Amino acid sequence: MNKKVLAIDFGASSGRAILGTFDGEKISLKEIHRFSNDPVMLNGTMYWDFLRLFHEIKQSLIKSKAYGNIDSMAIDTWGVDFGLIDINGNLLENPVHYRDNRTMGMLDKAFEKISKDELYSITGNQFMEINTAFQLLSMSEKRPELLKRADKLLLMPDLFNYYLTGKIFSEQSIASTTQLFDAKRKDWSMEVINRLGIKDTIFPKIIKSGTYIGDLSESICIELDIKPMKVFSVCGHDTQLAMVSTPATEKDFIFLSCGTWSLFGTELDNPILNEKSLNLNVTNELGFGERTSFLKNIIGLWLIQESRRQWQREGKDYSFMDLESLAKKSEPFKCFINPDAPEFIPSGNVPKRIQEFCKKTGQYIPQSVGEIMRCIYESLALKYRLAKVELETCTNKSFNTIYMVGGGTKDTFLSQLTACACDCRVSSGPIEATAFGNIAVQLMADGSIKDISQARDIIKNSEDIIYFEPTNSQDWNVALDSYKKIQ
């Protein structure tokens, strides 16, 4: 066997095309194209540059010609964001970035239309103003003329797939991020949509993860001088692909997908929709095989990425390795932040906001780059500890290992601190978790891999996994007591 498939993975700050080759035992990866994903501010609104991103897909397809016949391709992206197309299939405007401020105050307005308890009991989603429901509520109040012109709403991976194949649909995993999806029925919740006053005809038919949707359109094949290629709808939401590639052998496990966002959760047969999970603001999303991902969305490496951008603006061009080294050299446990505090969501001067947060909470104010970085690292690790306790409380299960996957596993310091803070073993890798998951779902969809259990075994055998053990448990328990006071 020598199957070749193409995974195009869009993250919140960059994208890449990964060629996966499967020989029947292992999957090997080769990055053939990488590009930045930069938001564009225009007239006070933050947009995704969809046209540029679609151009990068085309560049990926052109570069793939050098590797011979490619059996299939698939797209994955971040959650919640969308584009609107009119009756003629034209994009009405560039998709708006979830970090745009248009959703400020929309949670409270939504709760005037449908109670918090009722909304959670239907959707099971963690309440975040970035969610699709609140973006649409903002549009219905501030830009109703745009929604009136819209024929269909397409979430980001579905939007790319539409312009690749001409097929209109919404894939389950990405739909489950919207707070408009019925977690039990696994379909759009028309009750929520109607109660929020959103136009209900714009929502397309939902299909399952791992569905073959068609071939590349003839026009694209002619334009790029490439052969037709199958297009699969894998799990459009990158988090669910990271879950697919978690190298766990036990049924009950915790996974931590570590990137711009940290997704900390477990895999369940059914959603948990009760008062306890509501109060702890745990989200239920749909993964491959219609399994529930029960997880917490935590602001993750965004804090490091945006801090680095601020220091670059100030003329200090630190690499990520430089920042990790400076953090290691700084004194531990001097101050902490709550990574999910609202002031850390927007782009801007994150280091200054960290100093202001520490001042406001009566802590030591970090001064040096190393001290600020140490504060971020330890705060993330302790946030994971609290999330672990919350998951154990909701599921009545205990977990001995955290399976950490994604780009954040390049940072061994964070992996070690996570083991220490959570007082359990951390399995670190694969780094390219989303790409492995994307490729594995394509291979399961075409029958080359039997099921998700076999996929996880193959991925584990295809990548080096590193393990970290906890140390200094007593010091971290003391730090946790201090950390809880500033939440």
Side-chain angles (χ1 to χ4, degrees):
M1 182 181 293
N2 189 27
K3 301 281 292 189
K4 292 181 182 177
V5 303
L6 185 63
I8 299 181
D9 169 37
F10 288 97
S13 58
S14 67
R16 63 269 175 82
I18 305 287
L19 181 67
T21 303
F22 180 50
D23 64 6
E25 295 182 357
K26 292 184 178 182
I27 297 171
S28 60
L29 305 182
K30 183 173 182 60
E31 182 181 297
I32 64 172
H33 186 49
R34 179 175 284 269
F35 48 91
S36 64
N37 184 4
D38 303 304
V40 178
M41 288 294 296
L42 185 66
N43 198 27
T45 298
M46 181 181 286
Y47 294 98
W48 296 106
D49 193 349
F50 179 79
L51 299 182
R52 166 56 54 180
L53 296 179
F54 199 77
H55 168 77
E56 300 295 356
I57 292 177
K58 290 182 176 180
Q59 294 306 301
S60 302
L61 291 169
I62 290 170
K63 290 182 178 181
S64 74
K65 290 194 295 183
Y67 300 92
N69 184 57
I70 310 296
D71 295 289
S72 64
M73 66 170 292
I75 305 280
D76 65 79
T77 77
W78 62 97
V80 309
D81 288 335
F82 58 89
L84 298 172
I85 59 173
D86 67 15
I87 192 67
N88 297 312
N90 296 314
L91 186 63
L92 291 176
E93 69 170 2
N94 266 313
V96 176
H97 198 295
Y98 62 80
R99 293 192 189 275
D100 186 75
N101 62 11
R102 66 176 175 168
T103 56
M104 291 179 63
M106 287 299 127
L107 270 176
D108 290 338
K109 290 194 175 184
F111 296 152
E112 293 173 2
K113 299 173 182 289
I114 182 170
S115 73
K116 184 176 181 179
D117 290 2
E118 191 174 2
L119 184 54
Y120 186 83
S121 71
I122 295 171
T123 69
N125 283 147
Q126 180 177 354
F127 292 107
M128 304 174 71
E129 283 191 328
I130 67 173
N131 289 351
T132 314
F134 311 119
Q135 294 192 43
L136 285 168
L137 183 59
S138 170
M139 291 183 71
S140 66
E141 293 196 357
K142 301 173 184 178
R143 303 187 66 192
E145 73 288 348
L146 194 62
L147 281 178
K148 187 175 181 180
R149 292 172 56 202
D151 180 60
K152 285 292 178 286
L153 175 148
L154 293 175
L155 293 151
M156 292 304 296
D158 304 331
L159 186 64
F160 287 120
N161 281 328
Y162 168 64
Y163 285 112
L164 288 171
T165 68
K167 304 296 176 63
I168 292 177
F169 64 88
S170 188
E171 180 274 325
Q172 280 184 333
S173 75
I174 200 72
S176 73
T177 70
T178 60
Q179 207 129 39
L180 299 167
F181 184 82
D182 190 309
K184 292 179 180 176
R185 294 193 306 105
K186 300 178 175 60
D187 202 351
W188 297 116
S189 171
M190 287 302 161
E191 181 177 357
V192 171
I193 289 167
N194 292 328
R195 292 274 291 277
L196 293 177
I198 299 167
K199 181 179 176 182
D200 60 14
T201 59
I202 63 175
F203 296 93
K205 177 183 176 182
I206 289 179
I207 62 173
K208 292 183 178 182
S209 309
T211 298
Y212 164 66
I213 56 173
D215 289 356
L216 282 177
S217 70
E218 183 180 3
S219 62
I220 287 180
C221 291
I222 292 171
E223 175 193 351
L224 305 181
D225 188 26
I226 60 176
K227 294 179 180 179
M229 185 185 305
K230 289 183 178 180
V231 180
F232 285 103
S233 175
V234 288
C235 297
H237 190 204
D238 53 7
T239 298
Q240 303 311 324
L241 294 176
M243 175 73 90
V244 166
S245 62
T246 302
T249 54
E250 64 269 41
K251 183 178 187 295
D252 296 325
F253 61 89
I254 282 183
F255 90 110
L256 169 55
S257 177
C258 191
T260 301
W261 288 85
S262 291
L263 295 310
F264 192 103
T266 189
E267 190 175 62
L268 302 174
D269 292 328
N270 297 295
I272 296 177
L273 306 168
N274 57 31
E275 185 177 357
K276 189 181 294 183
S277 60
L278 165 64
N279 291 336
L280 293 174
N281 207 17
V282 189
T283 200
N284 294 266
E285 296 176 8
L286 206 59
F288 183 74
E290 299 194 327
R291 296 269 288 164
T292 294
S293 294
F294 187 65
L295 53 86
K296 297 280 289 189
N297 286 281
I298 300 167
I299 292 178
L301 301 184
W302 162 258
L303 295 165
I304 296 174
Q305 295 162 352
E306 194 63 10
S307 294
R308 179 172 178 257
R309 279 189 280 269
Q310 177 60 35
W311 288 317
Q312 286 175 328
R313 289 190 284 267
E314 296 172 2
K316 306 166 188 174
D317 193 15
Y318 297 109
S319 68
F320 288 114
M321 189 176 294
D322 292 334
L323 296 176
E324 180 183 357
S325 177
L326 290 169
K328 286 180 178 179
K329 294 174 183 176
S330 297
E331 184 179 342
F333 308 134
K334 296 190 74 173
C335 55
F336 309 106
I337 59 168
N338 176 4
D340 291 330
E343 55 261 46
F344 298 124
I345 294 176
S347 59
N349 194 338
V350 166
K352 182 179 179 181
R353 294 174 196 163
I354 289 172
Q355 292 173 322
E356 290 171 347
F357 183 95
C358 292
K359 181 178 180 180
K360 179 179 67 176
T361 52
Q363 302 181 83
Y364 170 78
I365 301 172
Q367 299 299 315
S368 68
V369 170
E371 287 181 336
I372 291 170
M373 286 300 303
R374 186 89 189 196
C375 175
I376 293 172
Y377 276 114
E378 292 178 346
S379 298
L380 282 174
L382 288 165
K383 190 74 174 182
Y384 300 155
R385 169 71 174 267
L386 294 183
K388 180 175 182 286
V389 172
E390 291 175 0
L391 288 180
E392 291 175 335
T393 298
C394 289
T395 62
N396 293 317
K397 298 177 180 179
S398 60
F399 304 96
N400 299 318
T401 301
I402 295 173
Y403 290 88
M404 192 170 178
V405 301
T409 61
K410 294 177 184 177
D411 194 329
T412 58
F413 188 49
L414 181 57
S415 297
Q416 182 60 68
L417 293 188
T418 300
C420 294
C422 296
D423 196 24
C424 70
R425 191 184 209 198
V426 167
S427 163
S428 183
I431 295 171
E432 298 290 355
T434 302
F436 269 119
N438 184 315
I439 291 160
V441 173
Q442 291 186 64
L443 294 170
M444 283 188 280
D446 76 3
S448 299
I449 293 177
K450 181 176 63 175
D451 55 26
I452 194 169
S453 178
Q454 185 184 24
R456 285 173 172 157
D457 287 341
I458 290 168
I459 291 169
K460 186 175 183 179
N461 292 331
S462 302
E463 184 82 349
D464 291 332
I465 307 298
I466 303 172
Y467 298 95
F468 296 85
E469 303 293 343
T471 59
N472 305 325
S473 297
Q474 186 57 42
D475 291 340
W476 280 94
N477 288 335
V478 172
L480 181 64
D481 290 338
S482 299
Y483 184 73
K484 289 178 179 177
K485 297 174 183 176
I486 56 94
Q487 297 301 294

